[in-house]
Amino acid sequence: MSLTPRIAIDAMGGDVGVRMMLAGAAMARHKHDGLRFILVGDEGQIKAALENHPNLRAASDIIHTDGVVTGEDKPSQAIRKAKSTSMGLAIDAVKRGDAGGAVSAGNTGALMAMAKLALRTMPGIDRPALAALLPTLGDNDVVMLDLGANTECDANNLVQFAVMGAAYARTAMGLERPRVALLNIGTEELKGTDEIRDAAALLREAHGLPMQFAGFIEGDKLSRGDVDVIVHDGFSGNIALKTIEGTARFVTDLLRRAFTSSTRSKIGFLISRPATELLRHHLDPNNHNGAVFLGLNGVVLKSHGSADAKGVANCVHLCAELIEKDITRQVTEDLANFRRGDAA
């Protein structure tokens, strides 16, 4: 099933706001001229920014609102003013069917709360999960979920995350049978909490799903590329994500310091520049920008607040791909197949 991608953009979200969000949307449309947009936010600022992007202007409608969800707003505060904020109205466009998906770089907790309230969770899903693609040493990226939406999860939650993550890997990476693993403190079957061990038992006995359960994986193997989907609760997942991001910054900063420490180091940098540029590209978070809330009746993506135009464009591209490949239908079908297999 191929769907025409129309995406609602929370133009006021992110560290820079309108200018960066629209620059990213325009960059995405230059590569995918079938994209159409609903731009939500202050109409005056949006129209001023569109002067620099005539290609985007021709494919966009504007919904005006003065309301903005700030980084300090609690989810409960954001929900109360959802109908008057750019974030809330972007999600509402998905709910009404005016847009196939929404992209925001705003407050993650508020986005999660408003999206869950407006779109509701899919049948068979207890809780939505935040999933993202991260770079590895293998041929493909790895899907990690949950990255912070649910701090405590039972075995059924983890199994649902595994099914959703596998569907996402098939959609975003074109894998027929993604390899799925549970993050644990060891690879032995007796290691880990009761919830993790119970989830593993359920996944080992699952039949008829287009995925391969690969058992447990430890934290030092997250970026090796040995598996395609890594499942964990939101508490562990958020710590793992921040650790990976911090390590990437540490490596790049350490290299920068080393290559500027002396004249000889600067000459060495010039010689090794092709390799260091490749490393910088691989570790650049803008190349993997875009986390999706899986398990909702609609497509909602969170862009990093500090993403540049290229990062926003990558998030928009991912949103369009998930709309075109109908990720919601794929997750629904996989869950139905899992329940049938479980009942058998």
Side-chain angles (χ1 to χ4, degrees):
M1 180 178 178
S2 179
L3 303 176
T4 301
R6 192 181 194 209
I7 299 171
I9 302 287
D10 171 14
M12 313 307 290
D15 297 348
V16 179
V18 175
R19 179 174 59 82
M20 195 63 70
M21 295 302 293
L22 267 59
M27 186 180 294
R29 191 165 193 275
H30 277 296
K31 294 182 179 179
H32 191 325
D33 61 8
L35 287 176
R36 295 179 298 133
F37 296 94
I38 298 174
L39 307 177
V40 189
D42 183 271
E43 186 172 11
Q45 294 186 50
I46 291 173
K47 285 185 174 180
L50 284 175
E51 291 297 320
N52 298 318
H53 307 293
N55 188 47
L56 176 63
R57 184 175 59 214
S60 299
D61 296 314
I62 299 173
I63 296 178
H64 171 73
T65 181
D66 295 322
V68 177
V69 175
T70 70
E72 290 72 38
D73 282 339
K74 295 179 180 179
S76 57
Q77 295 173 314
I79 287 174
R80 284 196 293 270
K81 58 182 182 180
K83 294 183 179 180
S84 63
T85 61
S86 56
M87 182 185 290
L89 290 173
I91 295 170
D92 190 58
V94 179
K95 179 182 178 180
R96 296 194 314 268
D98 294 337
V103 171
S104 175
N107 183 320
T108 304
L111 184 66
M112 176 74 221
M114 285 197 287
K116 184 177 179 181
L117 182 64
L119 302 176
R120 304 295 181 182
T121 53
M122 300 166 56
I125 294 294
D126 298 321
R127 301 177 182 179
L130 186 61
L133 294 167
L134 296 176
T136 72
L137 293 174
D139 295 331
N140 299 304
D141 293 337
V142 63
V143 177
M144 290 185 62
L145 75 164
D146 175 33
L147 294 175
N150 308 280
T151 55
E152 295 182 1
C153 299
D154 61 22
N156 287 326
N157 296 144
L158 295 175
V159 169
Q160 291 166 14
F161 295 170
V163 174
M164 293 191 295
Y168 181 36
R170 297 201 319 277
T171 302
M173 296 189 289
L175 303 175
E176 291 186 10
R177 291 179 57 81
R179 300 162 296 174
V180 179
L182 294 168
L183 180 63
N184 202 349
I185 58 172
T187 57
E188 300 87 351
E189 290 188 15
L190 296 178
K191 288 288 182 72
T193 63
D194 291 341
E195 291 79 9
I196 293 175
R197 294 198 305 271
D198 290 346
L202 290 169
L203 288 170
R204 287 191 189 98
E205 297 186 8
H207 302 290
L209 287 177
M211 58 178 275
Q212 307 170 57
F213 180 57
F216 298 136
I217 189 170
E218 296 182 82
D220 62 338
K221 300 293 193 300
L222 295 181
S223 301
R224 298 299 301 179
D226 297 333
V227 297
D228 306 304
V229 180
I230 299 176
V231 176
H232 34 70
D233 62 63
F235 185 84
S236 303
N238 193 265
I239 292 175
L241 175 65
K242 298 297 174 57
T243 301
I244 291 170
E245 292 177 341
T247 302
R249 286 193 294 270
F250 170 74
V251 171
T252 53
D253 289 347
L254 194 63
L255 285 173
R256 186 181 300 110
R257 183 183 302 177
F259 281 128
T260 57
S261 61
S262 66
T263 301
R264 179 177 294 180
S265 297
K266 293 176 182 178
I267 295 172
F269 168 72
L270 293 175
I271 295 172
S272 61
R273 189 165 185 173
T276 55
E277 284 296 309
L278 180 63
L279 176 64
R280 185 184 66 81
H281 176 81
H282 197 61
L283 295 178
D284 185 355
N286 287 295
N287 294 322
H288 298 84
N289 185 43
V292 59
F293 292 109
L294 294 174
L296 298 175
N297 292 301
V299 178
V300 177
L301 270 74
K302 170 67 172 68
S303 171
H304 204 292
S306 62
D308 62 16
K310 181 179 69 173
V312 174
N314 284 333
C315 185
V316 171
H317 274 302
L318 179 58
C319 184
E321 186 173 22
L322 295 178
I323 295 169
E324 290 175 322
K325 295 183 179 179
D326 204 355
I327 181 66
T328 304
R329 176 186 57 80
Q330 291 198 39
V331 170
T332 300
E333 291 177 354
D334 284 359
L335 285 168
N337 289 335
F338 174 77
R339 288 194 296 270
R340 281 195 294 269
D342 191 46

